[in-house]
Amino acid sequence: MEFKEKLRTYQSEIESAVDQYLPAEATRPSRIHEAMLYSMRAGGKRLRPVLVLASKELFDSELDAMPAAIAVECLHTYSLIHDDLPSIDDGDLRRGKPTSHKQFDEATAVLAGDALLAYAFQLLARHFANAPDVCANLVGELGETAGSERLIGGQMEDILGEGGPLSEDTLNFIHLNKTSALIECCLVMGGIIGGANYEQIDALRTYGREIGIAFQIIDDILDATSDETTMGKSIGSDAELDKTTYVKLHGLEKSRELAAQRTQKAIQICSALPSGAPFLAGLATHLENRLN
Ligand code: GRG
């Protein structure tokens, strides 16, 4: 199947699975379940669940990766809801719709994020209970990624760095953890479900780190050059908060070059994966050229 068709197939399977795996809106208390589904149904690129499915498909395994794909999308959506809160980025628009705290209220948005974070682990624990080693490795991987040394650690340093010039080292720490960590984790989770060996897990992790950093550099470029309608989210906050970004540190042209270098490295790593992982190689280029 050609790359774009394969991507669309994954995305439409994920769209259907959101409603299949999350509690229905009518479940009591309906307000929290409405808020969870509101943000989960709002769409987005579904990059992280696509990575779980595509990574697992490189290997032969009977296990279904979809519950893990939905779990990472729950965790990602929680991070976006909380990132948009008035006390963090104070965003009005996300995935082309009002942010959770604008659509509901701040307390509901905090709780919807918390509930999605908890639900991610519930999904893993319930759906992989018959494969205890896989289950423990998935929970460990996602837990480590979500915690204070990775996602939250990256977010903390991002907040601490507002208003002041940051070194390249700090900027890399922020993005390796705030953005790359979950992308890396999705590939590793796919590998765990598929039964990948140690070297293959290592290759998946490195590929994830490279496309993760490239993804953030492109995000910084789009934040500086695109518009809210195309992006479907509030943009320009980097400049407003005087944040150090790749664009601020290196300028647009050099930032594009850095993203291209990371993308090329990711593509090279695909040769160490089964059949050269053509979908993942195509995805690296697709992400480099993305417009939103
Ligand atoms: C803020 C308390 C609190 C917790 C959240 C890690 C984290 C913790 C927040 C970071 C969220 C964030 C904005 C990370 C940056 C990565 C990034 C560019 C996310 C946007 O991902 P896309 O473009 O979004 O894939 P869609 O909507 O397409 O899924």
Side-chain angles (χ1 to χ4, degrees):
M1 209 186 289
E2 182 247 325
F3 170 77
K4 283 214 164 132
E5 197 189 337
K6 182 89 187 150
L7 179 62
R8 275 194 296 272
T9 305
Y10 281 138
Q11 285 166 330
S12 85
E13 286 167 3
I14 292 159
E15 293 307 324
S16 317
V18 165
D19 274 78
Q20 187 191 332
Y21 283 101
L22 268 90
E25 272 155 318
T27 310
R28 186 174 173 184
S30 59
R31 187 170 174 82
I32 190 69
H33 298 110
E34 268 170 42
M36 289 161 77
L37 278 168
Y38 171 79
S39 295
M40 285 291 287
R41 282 180 182 149
K45 294 177 284 299
R46 307 300 194 196
L47 167 65
R48 293 149 192 85
V50 164
L51 289 172
V52 175
L53 300 180
S55 169
K56 186 262 167 176
E57 244 183 61
L58 293 171
F59 308 96
D60 280 329
S61 160
E62 295 291 299
L63 292 174
D64 179 10
M66 189 58 87
I70 299 301
V72 298
E73 189 66 4
C74 286
L75 197 130
H76 169 58
T77 305
Y78 127 75
S79 82
L80 299 180
I81 294 174
H82 281 197
D83 195 56
D84 289 331
L85 287 171
S87 57
I88 313 261
D89 267 4
D90 200 12
D92 293 345
L93 192 70
R94 175 67 71 178
R95 295 176 163 172
K97 291 178 143 194
T99 48
S100 182
H101 65 274
K102 290 276 171 197
Q103 179 71 16
F104 297 90
D105 54 60
E106 195 173 342
T108 307
V110 169
L111 294 178
D114 290 343
L116 285 169
L117 171 63
Y119 199 67
F121 291 95
Q122 183 179 333
L123 274 173
L124 295 180
R126 294 282 180 258
H127 289 274
F128 293 93
N130 291 334
D133 288 354
V134 169
C135 189
N137 285 329
L138 292 176
V139 168
E141 184 67 30
L142 192 62
E144 210 171 288
T145 300
S148 57
E149 292 181 50
R150 302 234 57 195
L151 258 78
I152 297 292
Q155 180 69 20
M156 187 78 254
E157 289 229 3
D158 194 17
I159 292 170
L160 292 172
E162 278 170 19
L166 296 183
S167 65
E168 174 115 33
D169 176 69
T170 305
L171 189 65
N172 283 335
F173 177 89
I174 292 171
H175 297 316
L176 268 174
N177 293 300
K178 190 177 140 170
T179 307
S180 264
L182 187 57
I183 290 178
E184 236 177 88
C185 170
C186 293
L187 288 141
V188 171
M189 285 172 69
I192 292 170
I193 300 165
N197 65 30
Y198 179 81
E199 285 77 21
Q200 290 164 331
I201 293 280
D202 204 44
L204 287 166
R205 202 181 280 290
T206 312
Y207 167 90
R209 184 160 57 241
E210 296 303 321
I211 63 158
I213 292 288
F215 187 86
Q216 184 59 54
I217 299 172
I218 300 291
D219 217 66
D220 287 356
I221 294 173
L222 293 174
D223 193 79
T225 59
S226 188
D227 58 82
E228 289 199 349
T229 314
T230 314
M231 295 292 283
K233 65 177 179 180
S234 307
I235 64 159
S237 65
D238 292 348
E240 221 169 89
L241 294 166
D242 202 20
K243 274 192 179 171
T244 305
T245 64
Y246 285 98
V247 173
K248 197 168 173 198
L249 213 57
H250 298 290
L252 277 173
E253 203 178 320
K254 176 82 182 156
S255 296
R256 286 202 180 95
E257 241 172 69
L258 289 171
Q261 282 167 12
R262 296 280 186 172
T263 303
Q264 280 315 307
K265 192 161 172 213
I267 292 169
Q268 278 162 19
I269 292 158
C270 289
S271 59
L273 290 165
S275 313
F279 179 81
L280 292 183
L283 188 62
T285 304
H286 174 79
L287 292 174
E288 187 193 347
N289 297 326
R290 75 193 169 98
L291 298 174
N292 67 19

